[in-house]
Amino acid sequence: MSNLYTTEATATGGRQGTTASADGRLNVTLSTPQELGGDGGPGTNPEQLFAAGYAACFQSALGVVARRQKIDLDPAATITARVGLLRQGLGFGLDVELEGRFPGLSRDEAQALMAAAHEVCPYSAATRGNVDVRLILAE
């Protein structure tokens, strides 16, 4: 197997520092949330970055699956990723909830589409067996 795409980012200063991609397209200040003992400053944090990446990647996987299954996916369909940081033994882990909103699809169609996308999405493959990922539909 060969990589279809590779990117690179460098962090300096941990949760109170910065992170930037090698190509300069991403360059963000990081702040630790107050819930984690930080100052709650104006920067983003690793969990927000992970949630944004997972939501976007999963949305793309939904598009791939919908095209393969000849399902007309409404452009207004959304995925919201909620990422939690939790204690795991002496370390930490992640907890993820992916909430889908699918105008025009029945509940059964939407659930099947999310399950199929969960098998295709690279973030889902990377977290499988390591992170509790729940797929839910918006009410």
Side-chain angles (χ1 to χ4, degrees):
M1 290 192 297
S2 63
N3 285 335
L4 298 175
Y5 172 73
T6 300
T7 190
E8 177 182 321
T10 301
T12 304
R15 288 181 171 273
Q16 291 294 121
T18 60
T19 190
S21 61
D23 64 7
R25 292 180 182 199
L26 175 74
N27 189 342
V28 295
T29 300
L30 302 170
S31 296
T32 302
Q34 289 179 335
E35 297 87 345
L36 298 177
D39 64 2
T44 189
N45 61 65
E47 293 74 30
Q48 288 174 329
L49 293 169
F50 188 80
Y54 203 158
C57 189
F58 198 85
Q59 181 79 34
S60 291
L62 283 164
V64 167
V65 170
R67 281 190 300 281
R68 287 178 183 169
Q69 296 181 6
K70 301 197 182 336
I71 295 172
D72 188 21
L73 190 59
D74 189 312
T78 61
I79 292 295
T80 300
R82 293 181 187 88
V83 174
L85 183 67
L86 48 91
R87 285 212 181 271
Q88 270 184 338
L90 297 176
F92 298 92
L94 296 176
D95 174 67
V96 176
E97 181 176 273
L98 299 174
E99 180 182 51
R101 186 175 304 276
F102 303 97
L105 293 184
S106 73
R107 193 160 187 78
D108 288 343
E109 289 173 317
Q111 285 176 327
L113 188 62
M114 283 190 76
H118 195 45
E119 295 302 313
V120 171
C121 176
Y123 276 64
S124 292
T127 59
R128 193 167 287 116
N130 299 309
V131 175
D132 181 26
V133 178
R134 292 171 310 286
L135 306 177
I136 63 168
L137 294 176
E139 295 299 323

PDB file of all heavy atoms in Angstrom, residues 11-27:
ATOM      1  N   ALA A  11       3.837  20.842  16.634  1.00  0.00           N
ATOM      2  CA  ALA A  11       3.334  21.547  17.816  1.00  0.00           C
ATOM      3  C   ALA A  11       4.513  22.027  18.645  1.00  0.00           C
ATOM      4  O   ALA A  11       5.532  21.345  18.771  1.00  0.00           O
ATOM      5  CB  ALA A  11       2.448  20.628  18.649  1.00  0.00           C
ATOM      6  N   THR A  12       4.355  23.202  19.217  1.00  0.00           N
ATOM      7  CA  THR A  12       5.341  23.782  20.117  1.00  0.00           C
ATOM      8  C   THR A  12       4.603  24.267  21.360  1.00  0.00           C
ATOM      9  O   THR A  12       3.596  24.964  21.246  1.00  0.00           O
ATOM     10  CB  THR A  12       6.055  24.980  19.451  1.00  0.00           C
ATOM     11  OG1 THR A  12       6.629  24.551  18.228  1.00  0.00           O
ATOM     12  CG2 THR A  12       7.139  25.549  20.347  1.00  0.00           C
ATOM     13  N   GLY A  13       5.043  23.863  22.528  1.00  0.00           N
ATOM     14  CA  GLY A  13       4.442  24.366  23.759  1.00  0.00           C
ATOM     15  C   GLY A  13       3.230  23.598  24.239  1.00  0.00           C
ATOM     16  O   GLY A  13       2.542  24.049  25.151  1.00  0.00           O
ATOM     17  N   GLY A  14       2.928  22.450  23.624  1.00  0.00           N
ATOM     18  CA  GLY A  14       1.806  21.630  24.081  1.00  0.00           C
ATOM     19  C   GLY A  14       0.480  22.359  24.022  1.00  0.00           C
ATOM     20  O   GLY A  14       0.220  23.140  23.112  1.00  0.00           O
ATOM     21  N   ARG A  15      -0.368  22.123  25.018  1.00  0.00           N
ATOM     22  CA  ARG A  15      -1.728  22.693  25.047  1.00  0.00           C
ATOM     23  C   ARG A  15      -1.746  24.210  25.213  1.00  0.00           C
ATOM     24  O   ARG A  15      -2.787  24.834  25.066  1.00  0.00           O
ATOM     25  CB  ARG A  15      -2.543  22.055  26.159  1.00  0.00           C
ATOM     26  CG  ARG A  15      -2.931  20.622  25.860  1.00  0.00           C
ATOM     27  CD  ARG A  15      -3.776  20.060  27.004  1.00  0.00           C
ATOM     28  NE  ARG A  15      -4.334  18.776  26.631  1.00  0.00           N
ATOM     29  CZ  ARG A  15      -5.484  18.615  25.989  1.00  0.00           C
ATOM     30  NH1 ARG A  15      -6.204  19.650  25.644  1.00  0.00           N
ATOM     31  NH2 ARG A  15      -5.912  17.414  25.690  1.00  0.00           N
ATOM     32  N   GLN A  16      -0.647  24.811  25.562  1.00  0.00           N
ATOM     33  CA  GLN A  16      -0.577  26.267  25.723  1.00  0.00           C
ATOM     34  C   GLN A  16       0.314  26.886  24.651  1.00  0.00           C
ATOM     35  O   GLN A  16       0.816  27.988  24.828  1.00  0.00           O
ATOM     36  CB  GLN A  16      -0.037  26.624  27.113  1.00  0.00           C
ATOM     37  CG  GLN A  16      -0.973  26.311  28.254  1.00  0.00           C
ATOM     38  CD  GLN A  16      -2.241  27.145  28.233  1.00  0.00           C
ATOM     39  OE1 GLN A  16      -3.331  26.611  28.164  1.00  0.00           O
ATOM     40  NE2 GLN A  16      -2.114  28.459  28.259  1.00  0.00           N
ATOM     41  N   GLY A  17       0.506  26.185  23.558  1.00  0.00           N
ATOM     42  CA  GLY A  17       1.434  26.652  22.535  1.00  0.00           C
ATOM     43  C   GLY A  17       0.768  26.938  21.205  1.00  0.00           C
ATOM     44  O   GLY A  17      -0.294  27.567  21.135  1.00  0.00           O
ATOM     45  N   THR A  18       1.393  26.420  20.154  1.00  0.00           N
ATOM     46  CA  THR A  18       0.883  26.593  18.798  1.00  0.00           C
ATOM     47  C   THR A  18       1.057  25.285  18.044  1.00  0.00           C
ATOM     48  O   THR A  18       1.854  24.427  18.432  1.00  0.00           O
ATOM     49  CB  THR A  18       1.650  27.691  18.024  1.00  0.00           C
ATOM     50  OG1 THR A  18       3.029  27.314  17.938  1.00  0.00           O
ATOM     51  CG2 THR A  18       1.526  29.047  18.689  1.00  0.00           C
ATOM     52  N   THR A  19       0.334  25.166  16.964  1.00  0.00           N
ATOM     53  CA  THR A  19       0.550  24.059  16.049  1.00  0.00           C
ATOM     54  C   THR A  19       0.342  24.589  14.637  1.00  0.00           C
ATOM     55  O   THR A  19      -0.516  25.436  14.401  1.00  0.00           O
ATOM     56  CB  THR A  19      -0.334  22.837  16.364  1.00  0.00           C
ATOM     57  OG1 THR A  19       0.101  21.726  15.592  1.00  0.00           O
ATOM     58  CG2 THR A  19      -1.803  23.099  16.109  1.00  0.00           C
ATOM     59  N   ALA A  20       1.168  24.103  13.733  1.00  0.00           N
ATOM     60  CA  ALA A  20       1.107  24.596  12.357  1.00  0.00           C
ATOM     61  C   ALA A  20       1.451  23.468  11.393  1.00  0.00           C
ATOM     62  O   ALA A  20       2.278  22.612  11.688  1.00  0.00           O
ATOM     63  CB  ALA A  20       2.084  25.751  12.166  1.00  0.00           C
ATOM     64  N   SER A  21       0.807  23.510  10.243  1.00  0.00           N
ATOM     65  CA  SER A  21       1.126  22.538   9.196  1.00  0.00           C
ATOM     66  C   SER A  21       2.353  23.012   8.434  1.00  0.00           C
ATOM     67  O   SER A  21       2.654  24.215   8.387  1.00  0.00           O
ATOM     68  CB  SER A  21      -0.064  22.356   8.247  1.00  0.00           C
ATOM     69  OG  SER A  21      -0.377  23.570   7.604  1.00  0.00           O
ATOM     70  N   ALA A  22       3.055  22.076   7.833  1.00  0.00           N
ATOM     71  CA  ALA A  22       4.280  22.391   7.107  1.00  0.00           C
ATOM     72  C   ALA A  22       4.020  23.328   5.933  1.00  0.00           C
ATOM     73  O   ALA A  22       4.877  24.146   5.595  1.00  0.00           O
ATOM     74  CB  ALA A  22       4.943  21.099   6.625  1.00  0.00           C
ATOM     75  N   ASP A  23       2.835  23.239   5.328  1.00  0.00           N
ATOM     76  CA  ASP A  23       2.534  24.096   4.177  1.00  0.00           C
ATOM     77  C   ASP A  23       1.985  25.464   4.580  1.00  0.00           C
ATOM     78  O   ASP A  23       1.694  26.304   3.731  1.00  0.00           O
ATOM     79  CB  ASP A  23       1.562  23.405   3.217  1.00  0.00           C
ATOM     80  CG  ASP A  23       0.193  23.122   3.814  1.00  0.00           C
ATOM     81  OD1 ASP A  23      -0.092  23.567   4.943  1.00  0.00           O
ATOM     82  OD2 ASP A  23      -0.606  22.448   3.138  1.00  0.00           O
ATOM     83  N   GLY A  24       1.803  25.704   5.895  1.00  0.00           N
ATOM     84  CA  GLY A  24       1.350  26.997   6.377  1.00  0.00           C
ATOM     85  C   GLY A  24      -0.152  27.222   6.313  1.00  0.00           C
ATOM     86  O   GLY A  24      -0.645  28.263   6.733  1.00  0.00           O
ATOM     87  N   ARG A  25      -0.912  26.260   5.821  1.00  0.00           N
ATOM     88  CA  ARG A  25      -2.367  26.444   5.717  1.00  0.00           C
ATOM     89  C   ARG A  25      -3.065  26.393   7.071  1.00  0.00           C
ATOM     90  O   ARG A  25      -4.151  26.917   7.227  1.00  0.00           O
ATOM     91  CB  ARG A  25      -2.971  25.400   4.791  1.00  0.00           C
ATOM     92  CG  ARG A  25      -2.550  25.612   3.364  1.00  0.00           C
ATOM     93  CD  ARG A  25      -3.161  24.577   2.468  1.00  0.00           C
ATOM     94  NE  ARG A  25      -2.691  24.786   1.117  1.00  0.00           N
ATOM     95  CZ  ARG A  25      -3.276  24.304   0.053  1.00  0.00           C
ATOM     96  NH1 ARG A  25      -4.364  23.555   0.180  1.00  0.00           N
ATOM     97  NH2 ARG A  25      -2.796  24.528  -1.136  1.00  0.00           N
ATOM     98  N   LEU A  26      -2.449  25.714   8.016  1.00  0.00           N
ATOM     99  CA  LEU A  26      -2.988  25.647   9.373  1.00  0.00           C
ATOM    100  C   LEU A  26      -1.936  26.225  10.300  1.00  0.00           C
ATOM    101  O   LEU A  26      -0.769  25.808  10.273  1.00  0.00           O
ATOM    102  CB  LEU A  26      -3.283  24.188   9.773  1.00  0.00           C
ATOM    103  CG  LEU A  26      -3.747  23.974  11.203  1.00  0.00           C
ATOM    104  CD1 LEU A  26      -5.193  24.451  11.359  1.00  0.00           C
ATOM    105  CD2 LEU A  26      -3.633  22.516  11.596  1.00  0.00           C
ATOM    106  N   ASN A  27      -2.338  27.211  11.094  1.00  0.00           N
ATOM    107  CA  ASN A  27      -1.429  27.816  12.053  1.00  0.00           C
ATOM    108  C   ASN A  27      -2.298  28.348  13.181  1.00  0.00           C
ATOM    109  O   ASN A  27      -2.927  29.398  13.032  1.00  0.00           O
ATOM    110  CB  ASN A  27      -0.608  28.929  11.409  1.00  0.00           C
ATOM    111  CG  ASN A  27       0.493  29.420  12.326  1.00  0.00           C
ATOM    112  OD1 ASN A  27       0.459  29.194  13.534  1.00  0.00           O
ATOM    113  ND2 ASN A  27       1.467  30.100  11.754  1.00  0.00           N
TER     114      ASN A  27
END
